[in-house]
Amino acid sequence: MVQAIHTAIEGRARFKIKELYRSEALKLHLERSLATHSEIISVSANILTSNLLVKFDSSIDAIEIKSLIEEIVTEYNQKFPKINLTKNIERSPQPTTNTQKRTTQDWHLMAVDSVLETLQTSPITGLSDDSVAEKLQKYGLNALPESAIRSDLKILLDQFKSLPVGLLGVAAGISFFTGGFVDALVIIGVIGLNAAIGYATESQSEKIVHSLKSREPASTWSIRNGTQTEIPTENVVLGDILVLKPGSYVVADARLLEADNLSVDESALTGESLPITKTTASLTGEDIPLGDRFNMVYKGTVVTGGRGLAAVVATGGFTQMGKIQQQVDAATATETPLARQLDEVGTQLVLLSLGICGFVFGIGVLRGYGLLQMLKSSISLAVAAVPEGLPTIATTTLALGIQDMRQHNVLVRSLSAVEALGSVQTICLDKTGTITENTMSVVEIHTDNRQIQVNDCQFMAGSENINPYACDELLKLIHVTVLCNESQVSQQGSEYVVTGSATENALIYLAIAAGVDAIALKQKYRLLQTQVRSENRNYMSTIHAIDAADRLVAVKGSPTEVVQICQWWRKNGQLVPLTEADRQAFEIENDRMAGKALRVLGVAYASAIENGDRQELTWLGLVGMADPIRAGAKELMRDFHQAGIDTVMITGDQSPTAYAIAKELQLSQDEQLEILDSTHLDRLTPEALTALVDKVDVFARISPSNKLQIVQALQAAGKVVAMTGDGINDAPALKAAEVGVAMGKGGTDVAREVADIILEDDRLETMIVAVSRGRTIYNNIRKSVHFLLSTNLSEILVMTTATTVGLGEPLNAIQLLWLNLVTDIFPGLALALEPPEPNVLSQPPRSPQEPIIKNSDFSRIAFESATISLCTLGAYGYGILRYGVGQQASTIAFMSLTSAQLLHTISCRSETHSIFSQINLPNNQYLNMALVGSFALQVLALSLPPLRSILKITPIDLLDGTVIGASALLPLLANESTKNTQVDLLFDYGRKDPPNPP
């Protein structure tokens, strides 16, 4: 089953697993299962080679790892029995009958019976194993073809397609045909080295970005051989009966057979942001849009509510999602907005540089310099002057930033999300599971006009200890909350195992604490029907069988809604009419409990006979649950506020509950707390909501569609919005926000599927790390661009000034290429890896409309370039006075300009912090290595005669070295001394009241 093929390296082993071949489901199962073991460091499975690479603790033997893998594979085979096939199944579906060729244009027009007959399936028994095997042979696996990524060859070839490289090629050709073979070889070497660096960085970026692509779930639920069973997604075939429930990812296109309050989020396919309510009735008409086919579900969509059964009518590449992917694969990949902006800047600089270089060429020729010499120098100057690596640096910085965030438990799924993080102005926080721990527990009950406190297994009314079995009203309330409940309860030994939502689970645990046998109770009152909450009905009801004729109706939900539909209540054991005064009293009690930050549910019941005549509902009381605020949440809100980010809490809880939590968190920053209830929200026009939304701190009693309204209103008000959430109902808003943030452990698959960022450790504090990294990445790209523009402009100024004044040619073509190689690439990339500045979270978020290079930056860049150029020309002038125009003076200019540009990286580390500041910037080891390595190359060039000959430089003496050192150091001192002198105040502020450092 598992064969060890390479175990020679300690802590690393490679295994061959036959079953892994072309099985995406087993691949995911192995990777996820092994990752849960602490001794495993990393896992990588390949479905084409059937190999599994495992890195593990070196104290563990490879034999133990092999045994662990065998256990996991055995468990997988037992869970998903393999269907024996007579020949291999191709991963790309190959249709052989008209059924698979049938388009979804027809299925929604057919009646349910006709669909079942055509597919030869049944909603009761589903398909047999033999039928599944036959259909897999005909149509292949239910898998979309893998999206093609850029091949290594294409990435390499792309490095030669830029205008600057073309100019270098022309320069090499001119050198070759004019006898400058050494120059031509050097230029070609520079082209090759640039290509190698670009290839290395872009291929790494490509791998990181490709690894972020979302994958569909490895398994799904279907009816086969008359039973519900979990099957691998890739083994779904035409006629399979899919079982749909909240959170289900639809793995194939299917025609609905049953639908009970079924709603589906189809935004991934149709762009419709709100979930669509589904029906089973056949449709009529022609050319019905996908979004209006209410009796169909499609691959890639997600069930957000209700339940249903659906017969699969298309798989793999024949699904609507498959057709879209074919179009996507045919299209070219889109750049991030930042990369496009940098590309535009680069193009503009190319045109500007060509104009300047043409001017230099003309002046040089008029001054009597050689035509070919000036042609080569001008072309080389153009190449050196244009920072052709701008888009590469942007993409690489973003990709490496994503990798760095992963180490901080932040999984980023798109490059554009990293850009958006740096400009987030408002963060919408879903309360349950995000601000709070989502570990609900019942702490207070109000029934029969008594307040009962619940603590562990004790029920106390004041100082009186209440026995639930001696209090009929309390016991009935507990029974109804167990019956009107979707949590699954089982027993392992003496322990109960409860699986479901936090709220539902809390009610089950309440019953267990009261001594109620929840399993026996559910079995006694068999569930017949469930009506879940909906957008316009904020309570749940279930119908249960009492005996052959009688029925029990159990209801729980919003107290204000439940109490309005009740006609009776139990008082001192007696059934009495529920008056309007009673309703007001219960609503006051509800407000009191909610004001203590409790989530409150109203509970009621009724009896109904088989023919449907229902008795009126009887009110039982209120159940108050506490969901503790996450540790550190209050400090986190302060950090967001200090970073200039507004915080908005969105919750389905009542206004008093929401107000109490928001006040504790100080969401309003010590100002008047503004809260808006959904009842008022629904009355506002979109324009009014847009005008009001940025003044509100809390939105209460919010539905999924309301969340989407709020996010869109904030965006209409000009805000860059981040939305956090972990539930199915958060998905539309997560998708609409510029940055959707989901929880990695406790969140739902639906939320993770649409989110841009996933907090793998479920700690909201990690979000401030993500914001810090997002801002830092953007700032670092600005630093790299600033450095490249200022140094390249200094080269243009030196060459233009010297040529115009008639001081000869300070730098030859090879020296300019060396400058481009030594002082641009490595220091520029090192600046892109700068750690966060100490005050990065003390600054307001940047405006999304702000260009990467602002108008104020150009004046600063011009000043810095001028100081470098002036000092270089001064050193060159010294060389001319001492040695005359020639190689020695050129050597001094070359060494001065190179050294000044390298030292300029220190100045580019911060726009405001200077070397004279009392607070030091965090250490950047990459920059240290880049500077040491670049200076070492300069020394090497002076020391080795072959390099000196190629660069046409000569040795220097101590006086020359002193002049070179002074001309390199003076620009750094001048540029640093003119920075913002108030920076220390910012750093002192950050030091006195710092945010939690990432």
Side-chain angles (χ1 to χ4, degrees):
M1 183 188 298
V2 179
Q3 177 187 358
I5 57 176
H6 191 280
T7 59
I9 302 175
E10 206 173 72
R12 177 188 170 103
R14 194 182 299 276
F15 302 92
K16 173 78 75 174
I17 306 170
K18 184 178 179 182
E19 293 93 334
L20 184 58
Y21 182 68
R22 292 189 179 277
S23 177
E24 186 71 32
L26 179 56
K27 166 185 163 68
L28 293 175
H29 184 74
L30 280 167
E31 290 178 342
R32 291 171 181 172
S33 300
L34 287 170
T36 60
H37 294 268
S38 58
E39 65 269 23
I40 304 295
I41 299 172
S42 67
V43 187
S44 177
N46 190 313
I47 61 175
L48 297 179
T49 62
S50 301
N51 288 348
L52 179 72
L53 176 63
V54 184
K55 295 180 182 178
F56 50 91
D57 192 322
S58 56
S59 63
I60 306 296
D61 192 90
I63 297 175
E64 296 180 49
I65 301 298
K66 179 184 176 184
S67 300
L68 179 60
I69 296 170
E70 287 176 340
E71 288 177 15
I72 293 171
V73 173
T74 301
E75 174 197 354
Y76 176 84
N77 289 336
Q78 291 172 349
K79 188 175 183 181
F80 304 126
K82 190 174 180 181
I83 299 170
N84 293 320
L85 302 175
T86 57
K87 62 180 180 179
N88 290 333
I89 299 172
E90 295 296 329
R91 192 160 185 80
S92 298
Q94 301 295 326
T96 58
T97 73
N98 290 331
T99 305
Q100 179 78 342
K101 289 181 181 178
R102 179 191 297 274
T103 67
T104 51
Q105 187 76 19
D106 302 315
W107 297 106
H108 60 280
L109 303 176
M110 298 172 62
V112 168
D113 291 342
S114 299
V115 172
L116 295 173
E117 183 179 351
T118 304
L119 296 171
Q120 297 181 339
T121 187
S122 163
I124 300 174
T125 61
L127 298 175
S128 64
D129 287 342
D130 290 341
S131 178
V132 170
E134 180 184 349
K135 293 187 177 187
L136 279 173
Q137 292 286 7
K138 287 183 179 180
Y139 311 129
L141 296 173
N142 175 38
L144 297 175
E146 288 288 338
S147 297
I149 61 172
R150 283 199 301 167
S151 65
D152 291 342
L153 179 61
K154 188 175 188 313
I155 294 174
L156 182 61
L157 292 177
D158 285 346
Q159 307 308 312
F160 300 98
K161 292 181 179 179
S162 66
L163 179 60
V165 172
L167 292 173
L168 271 179
V170 172
I174 293 172
S175 297
F176 182 80
F177 286 111
T178 55
F181 299 112
V182 174
D183 289 359
L185 287 175
V186 171
I187 294 173
I188 291 171
V190 170
I191 293 174
L193 187 56
N194 268 323
I197 294 171
Y199 167 78
T201 54
E202 286 193 35
S203 60
Q204 174 70 6
S205 301
E206 188 80 13
K207 289 174 183 175
I208 293 173
V209 173
H210 184 68
S211 72
L212 299 176
K213 292 184 178 179
S214 59
R215 300 181 181 273
E216 64 183 12
S219 62
T220 190
W221 285 92
S222 176
I223 296 176
R224 283 187 180 173
N225 302 308
T227 59
Q228 274 193 35
T229 182
E230 194 174 5
I231 62 173
T233 297
E234 59 190 11
N235 285 354
V236 171
V237 297
L238 266 70
D240 258 324
I241 306 299
L242 300 181
V243 179
L244 306 175
K245 52 187 176 181
S248 295
Y249 179 95
V250 182
V251 298
D253 290 1
R255 171 67 159 85
L256 284 168
L257 308 176
E258 297 178 11
D260 180 14
N261 290 312
L262 184 69
S263 59
V264 179
D265 176 11
E266 296 184 340
S267 55
L269 185 66
T270 65
E272 173 60 50
S273 56
L274 295 178
I276 305 299
T277 302
K278 295 293 183 177
T279 63
T280 59
S282 57
L283 305 177
T284 57
E286 296 182 1
D287 299 325
I288 301 176
L290 286 179
D292 293 337
R293 298 177 188 176
F294 303 122
N295 55 11
M296 298 289 297
V297 290
Y298 297 103
K299 183 181 180 70
T301 61
V302 178
V303 177
T304 58
R307 287 171 168 73
L309 295 178
V312 173
V313 298
T315 60
F318 292 94
T319 61
Q320 291 294 329
M321 190 65 75
K323 294 172 185 176
I324 292 173
Q325 181 172 321
Q326 291 171 17
Q327 297 173 356
V328 171
D329 290 343
T332 55
T334 57
E335 294 179 301
T336 67
L338 182 59
R340 283 197 300 272
Q341 196 179 59
L342 290 175
D343 203 22
E344 290 173 6
V345 171
T347 301
Q348 292 168 356
L349 288 173
V350 166
L351 299 176
L352 176 64
S353 300
L354 285 175
I356 293 175
C357 293
F359 174 75
V360 170
F361 174 79
I363 293 295
V365 171
L366 291 176
R367 288 284 182 183
Y369 301 127
L371 185 67
L372 291 177
Q373 177 190 2
M374 286 309 303
L375 183 61
K376 287 192 293 184
S377 296
S378 298
I379 292 175
S380 299
L381 177 59
V383 174
V386 176
E388 68 272 9
L390 284 183
T392 301
I393 282 182
T395 304
T396 301
T397 305
L398 291 171
L400 293 178
I402 288 174
Q403 198 173 41
D404 177 58
M405 286 190 192
R406 276 185 165 180
Q407 297 175 1
H408 292 83
N409 296 313
V410 180
L411 176 60
V412 184
R413 298 179 62 179
S414 69
L415 294 179
S416 57
V418 181
E419 294 181 36
L421 268 173
S423 56
V424 167
Q425 298 164 316
T426 302
I427 180 166
C428 297
L429 302 158
D430 179 63
K431 181 190 77 71
T432 306
T434 304
I435 291 178
T436 61
E437 294 180 358
N438 199 20
T439 54
M440 305 290 290
S441 59
V442 177
V443 296
E444 187 172 338
I445 296 172
H446 183 273
T447 185
D448 194 17
N449 273 343
R450 285 198 293 181
Q451 297 174 19
I452 301 174
Q453 306 298 320
V454 182
N455 187 8
D456 292 331
C457 295
Q458 288 190 324
F459 295 79
M460 305 290 296
S463 58
E464 180 187 358
N465 195 335
I466 304 294
N467 179 0
Y469 281 87
C471 181
D472 189 51
E473 290 77 14
L474 176 59
L475 190 61
K476 280 184 182 296
L477 180 145
I478 293 172
H479 282 180
V480 168
T481 59
V482 170
L483 295 174
C484 188
N485 197 305
E486 292 190 292
S487 288
Q488 300 297 315
V489 190
S490 59
Q491 198 165 7
Q492 295 180 359
S494 59
E495 296 293 325
Y496 282 95
V497 177
V498 185
T499 55
S501 70
T503 300
E504 305 271 86
N505 290 354
L507 298 173
I508 298 293
Y509 285 121
L510 170 70
I512 294 171
V516 173
D517 188 338
I519 298 175
L521 185 66
K522 282 178 170 284
Q523 290 173 346
K524 179 179 178 181
Y525 297 98
R526 182 169 53 90
L527 178 64
L528 299 176
Q529 184 180 335
T530 300
Q531 198 168 15
V532 296
R533 293 185 182 211
S534 64
E535 286 283 321
N536 302 314
R537 184 174 163 277
N538 202 16
Y539 57 87
M540 171 187 175
S541 63
T542 55
I543 300 177
H544 304 263
I546 299 175
D547 51 35
D550 293 335
R551 301 288 182 263
L552 173 70
V553 180
V555 179
K556 78 171 191 303
S558 167
T560 54
E561 291 189 34
V562 173
V563 78
Q564 291 300 323
I565 60 174
C566 291
Q567 287 75 37
W568 304 86
W569 70 291
R570 299 190 67 86
K571 182 178 181 181
N572 299 324
Q574 300 296 318
L575 202 61
V576 297
L578 185 65
T579 65
E580 195 58 38
D582 293 329
R583 288 191 178 91
Q584 290 179 5
F586 293 141
E587 290 187 8
I588 291 172
E589 186 62 27
N590 167 48
D591 290 342
R592 182 193 65 80
M593 294 172 68
K596 296 165 66 175
L598 301 182
R599 182 175 186 184
V600 188
L601 295 176
V603 183
Y605 79 103
S607 298
I609 58 176
E610 195 172 16
N611 65 12
D613 293 334
R614 180 179 301 178
Q615 291 184 3
E616 296 166 330
L617 282 170
T618 299
W619 172 263
L620 284 172
L622 299 165
V623 178
M625 288 172 281
D627 184 9
I629 294 174
R630 288 181 183 267
K634 185 175 180 179
E635 293 75 13
L636 179 64
M637 297 306 114
R638 185 190 65 194
D639 291 347
F640 280 132
H641 297 155
Q642 185 170 327
I645 299 174
D646 295 328
T647 51
V648 176
M649 188 174 80
I650 300 178
T651 177
D653 286 341
Q654 305 169 79
S655 295
T657 305
Y659 184 89
I661 294 174
K663 190 172 182 180
E664 184 177 348
L665 292 172
Q666 296 182 346
L667 285 188
S668 62
Q669 306 182 53
D670 297 326
E671 296 181 4
Q672 177 63 40
L673 189 68
E674 299 294 338
I675 188 166
L676 185 63
D677 193 282
S678 66
T679 53
H680 304 297
L681 185 67
D682 293 336
R683 299 172 191 165
L684 295 174
T685 63
E687 294 76 16
L689 180 59
T690 300
L692 181 66
V693 71
D694 62 346
K695 299 178 179 65
V696 177
D697 302 300
V698 181
F699 292 90
R701 297 209 309 184
I702 296 302
S703 68
S705 59
N706 291 146
K707 290 182 181 180
L708 183 64
Q709 274 182 281
I710 294 165
V711 169
Q712 291 174 335
L714 283 165
Q715 291 169 329
K719 301 290 186 180
V720 178
V721 183
M723 170 73 192
T724 69
D726 64 345
I728 296 168
N729 61 348
D730 299 320
L734 287 173
K735 188 175 181 67
E738 279 86 355
V739 182
V741 185
M743 302 297 148
K745 292 180 180 177
T748 61
D749 290 338
V750 183
R752 286 191 290 269
E753 186 68 28
V754 300
D756 302 296
I757 291 175
I758 299 170
L759 306 182
E760 294 183 301
D761 56 4
D762 279 13
R763 296 178 67 247
L764 192 58
E765 293 90 333
T766 311
M767 184 60 190
I768 203 71
V769 176
V771 171
S772 169
R773 288 296 184 272
R775 292 184 178 186
T776 299
I777 288 168
Y778 183 83
N779 291 341
N780 287 351
I781 293 174
R782 278 178 48 82
K783 293 172 186 177
S784 296
V785 173
H786 185 110
F787 167 74
L788 291 172
L789 295 183
S790 56
T791 53
N792 290 351
L793 181 59
S794 68
E795 296 165 21
I796 292 177
L797 290 175
V798 168
M799 291 294 292
T800 304
T801 303
T803 306
T804 304
V805 175
L807 296 178
E809 189 180 26
L811 303 171
N812 59 44
I814 302 298
Q815 290 170 351
L816 285 169
L817 290 170
W818 178 271
L819 271 169
N820 195 40
L821 178 68
V822 173
T823 64
D824 272 9
I825 297 174
F826 297 110
L829 286 173
L831 280 173
L833 299 173
E834 275 283 309
E837 292 188 39
N839 64 337
V840 69
L841 288 176
S842 299
Q843 304 296 314
R846 68 178 178 85
S847 168
Q849 283 76 40
E850 176 185 291
I852 186 73
I853 300 297
K854 299 176 287 188
N855 291 335
S856 58
D857 294 330
F858 284 109
S859 59
R860 182 69 192 175
I861 287 170
F863 175 79
E864 293 171 351
S865 300
T867 57
I868 294 173
S869 303
L870 187 62
C871 290
T872 299
L873 288 170
Y876 181 56
Y878 153 80
I880 292 175
L881 289 175
R882 186 176 181 187
Y883 302 107
V885 175
Q887 283 194 6
Q888 192 70 32
S890 178
T891 299
I892 293 172
F894 170 61
M895 294 298 295
S896 296
L897 184 56
T898 306
S899 301
Q901 288 187 353
L902 288 173
L903 289 179
H904 189 54
T905 57
I906 298 173
S907 185
C908 290
R909 292 191 66 194
S910 174
E911 296 179 22
T912 52
H913 182 276
S914 76
I915 59 175
F916 305 111
S917 300
Q918 296 179 359
I919 309 297
N920 294 325
L921 287 172
N923 183 47
N924 183 353
Q925 58 178 342
Y926 303 104
L927 183 60
N928 297 337
M929 290 189 291
L931 288 177
V932 170
S934 298
F935 274 116
L937 284 173
Q938 284 297 107
V939 173
L940 201 64
L942 274 175
S943 305
L944 297 178
L947 265 180
R948 286 205 305 266
S949 175
I950 292 173
L951 291 171
K952 297 182 176 60
I953 58 177
T954 58
I956 57 173
D957 59 21
L958 183 60
L959 180 59
D960 293 344
T962 303
V963 171
I964 291 169
S967 66
L969 191 59
L970 281 174
L972 174 65
L973 298 176
N975 292 330
E976 288 293 280
S977 63
T978 55
K979 283 185 178 178
N980 185 356
T981 56
Q982 295 185 350
V983 66
D984 284 329
L985 297 177
L986 288 173
F987 276 71
D988 287 341
Y989 171 72
R991 182 171 53 181
K992 291 172 186 174
D993 191 16
N996 293 332

